[in-house]
Amino acid sequence: MLCSEAHRWTDVLFNMPSACLGEMYQSLDAKPLPNLTSLTLVDLTNANGLPSTAPTPSPLTVFAHTPKLHMLCLGGPVCDLANHPLPYGRISSLVLSWMSEPLGILRVIELCTSAYHVSVSDTFIECDDESTLPDVSTKAPFVSFRLGGLGRIQHVLEHISAPAMFSLKLAPADPSKPCPSAYELDGMIDFVRRSAASLRRLEIACVRVSDVGLLQLLAATPGLTELYVHQQPGKEGDAVITPLVIRRLTIPRGKGEKGEVLVPNLKGIMFNWQRRSRPVGKVELLRMVESRAPAIIDVDAEVVEEDVGRALKAVTFRGFEDEEEEESEAEEVVKRLKRVPKFKMVIGAVVVRGPV
């Protein structure tokens, strides 16, 4: 009865063990699915005590007639992809949220040759240390990893490269459960080094990482132009953006002062703190911004400052209250930033704009 209306389906979720999937495939085989755009397929074999001895469906052409299908979400112990006849080559958005088999994850990523966005969650990943996994590559420009805090993503991360990656996002697998401990970025840094040639945008959304780990990640992404960090609720000791990070992002501009310029092409920054988790002062933030904003040209100046690192055009700082003792010095920096052409900064409730 359900499959008789298959030609109307646009967004479908199948959440069932292999035996039921096999029966569904048989019912759907050769039926056109002209309107199907999004498919979520979760194989519940071995889940909740379900038997794993169910008959395996034969490879079919069930999804061969899905001209509009472009979004695919897979879950469960999907390993033998011959059992799931899908048009992998046409998928543009791939989400692997509940997959447990590292081999299956890598095979799907390799098959989705047209994927524009790839998202992998590590919540249910299981690993056999003796298994040999293939190295795969994705052409997707947008890549995201949803982390459960247990480091399981490392089992697949070391086998993936993304040479066309433009944007990388790290987020919690379950936003309602903040990471209990800081996520170790070593494997992520190695992945970025293999894939960072095109990386321009980095977002860390409520994932706890150490300030040293973040700096190492930034050092591996010299072409970065946009940095977004959303601090998860917690104590000051859990902060990602610390005084150390701000000092390293601040470019020395004094006479004779030189040093390594971290992410010199940075054009946009957003830092979002929650529940007074900000361990850095407003003045330190503004000094960092001023060191990266385009220089104000003074025609009478005898020495013209170097342009290295002066690409910053848009800044947003949210989630903290002003401190009175900082206001006087902060106002002086803000006055100077208001003279920077085409510059915009939102800091708390204050908006600063330079001349157009």
Side-chain angles (χ1 to χ4, degrees):
M1 180 66 180
L2 176 65
C3 292
S4 66
E5 298 294 314
H7 64 283
R8 300 178 184 272
W9 295 348
T10 57
D11 186 347
V12 173
L13 179 141
F14 294 124
N15 204 339
M16 56 189 75
S18 291
C20 297
L21 282 173
E23 294 176 8
M24 181 204 64
Y25 286 161
Q26 296 290 349
S27 300
L28 283 174
D29 193 25
K31 284 185 173 65
L33 303 171
N35 297 307
L36 188 64
T37 60
S38 175
L39 173 64
T40 299
L41 180 61
V42 182
D43 185 342
L44 290 179
T45 302
N46 290 330
N48 300 321
L50 292 171
S52 59
T53 55
T56 303
S58 301
L60 306 173
T61 56
V62 59
F63 292 105
H65 307 287
T66 53
K68 296 182 180 179
L69 182 62
H70 62 91
M71 298 181 65
L72 175 64
C73 181
L74 287 180
V78 178
C79 186
D80 188 353
L81 299 181
N83 295 335
H84 302 281
L86 302 166
Y88 296 104
R90 297 206 310 268
I91 299 301
S92 60
S93 181
L94 175 66
V95 179
L96 306 177
S97 288
W98 306 285
M99 289 186 70
S100 57
E101 296 285 344
L103 180 59
I105 291 172
L106 295 172
R107 283 178 171 173
V108 173
I109 290 174
E110 186 175 35
L111 285 173
C112 292
T113 53
S114 299
Y116 190 76
H117 170 245
V118 172
S119 176
V120 181
S121 170
D122 71 351
T123 305
F124 297 106
I125 291 178
E126 300 173 355
C127 182
D128 178 1
D129 292 334
E130 297 181 359
S131 62
T132 301
L133 299 175
D135 293 331
V136 303
S137 179
T138 175
K139 297 177 182 178
F142 291 86
V143 177
S144 60
F145 294 104
R146 299 193 173 273
L147 310 172
L150 299 177
R152 294 190 179 106
I153 198 70
Q154 305 289 357
H155 301 315
V156 296
L157 198 57
E158 62 188 79
H159 298 283
I160 303 173
S161 63
M165 182 171 63
F166 173 87
S167 172
L168 173 63
K169 179 177 181 179
L170 308 182
D174 185 349
S176 67
K177 297 178 181 178
C179 297
S181 58
Y183 177 76
E184 295 294 334
L185 283 173
D186 293 353
M188 194 66 64
I189 292 167
D190 290 339
F191 164 74
V192 165
R193 284 176 178 152
R194 294 193 301 273
S195 313
S198 301
L199 187 63
R200 297 294 179 267
R201 185 181 191 277
L202 173 63
E203 180 177 359
I204 299 178
C206 297
V207 172
R208 281 183 63 190
V209 299
S210 70
D211 52 2
V212 173
L214 174 60
L215 290 171
Q216 290 173 340
L217 187 58
L218 293 177
T221 58
L224 202 70
T225 59
E226 299 176 48
L227 174 62
Y228 301 88
V229 179
H230 306 271
Q231 173 71 51
Q232 74 173 30
K235 302 171 293 184
E236 284 194 7
D238 297 334
V240 179
I241 303 300
T242 64
L244 174 62
V245 172
I246 298 303
R247 284 197 302 271
R248 290 287 287 108
L249 287 175
T250 302
I251 300 174
R253 294 293 181 188
K255 188 175 180 180
E257 285 190 85
K258 284 193 176 182
E260 179 190 2
V261 178
L262 202 63
V263 284
N265 301 312
L266 209 56
K267 295 179 180 179
I269 294 177
M270 174 183 280
F271 295 155
N272 191 347
W273 291 270
Q274 297 187 42
R275 298 183 186 175
R276 298 187 179 184
S277 59
R278 178 179 64 104
V280 293
K282 184 176 181 179
V283 172
E284 285 72 23
L285 287 171
L286 290 173
R287 284 175 180 162
M288 181 272 290
V289 171
E290 187 178 25
S291 77
R292 288 179 168 270
I296 303 165
I297 299 174
D298 186 347
V299 294
D300 297 324
E302 294 182 4
V303 179
V304 179
E305 290 185 351
E306 292 185 16
D307 252 357
V308 177
R310 289 199 175 276
L312 197 59
K313 286 288 188 179
V315 180
T316 301
F317 298 136
R318 295 193 182 279
F320 63 90
E321 299 176 1
D322 292 340
E323 299 171 10
E324 290 184 7
E325 63 270 19
E326 296 182 316
E327 281 308 294
S328 177
E329 189 174 353
E331 286 176 5
E332 291 300 315
V333 182
V334 169
K335 284 179 183 178
R336 293 193 291 270
L337 289 171
K338 284 181 178 180
R339 296 169 55 199
V340 178
K342 298 181 181 180
F343 179 80
K344 180 181 178 181
M345 178 174 67
V346 177
I347 180 163
V350 177
V351 179
V352 176
R353 292 181 185 272
V356 178

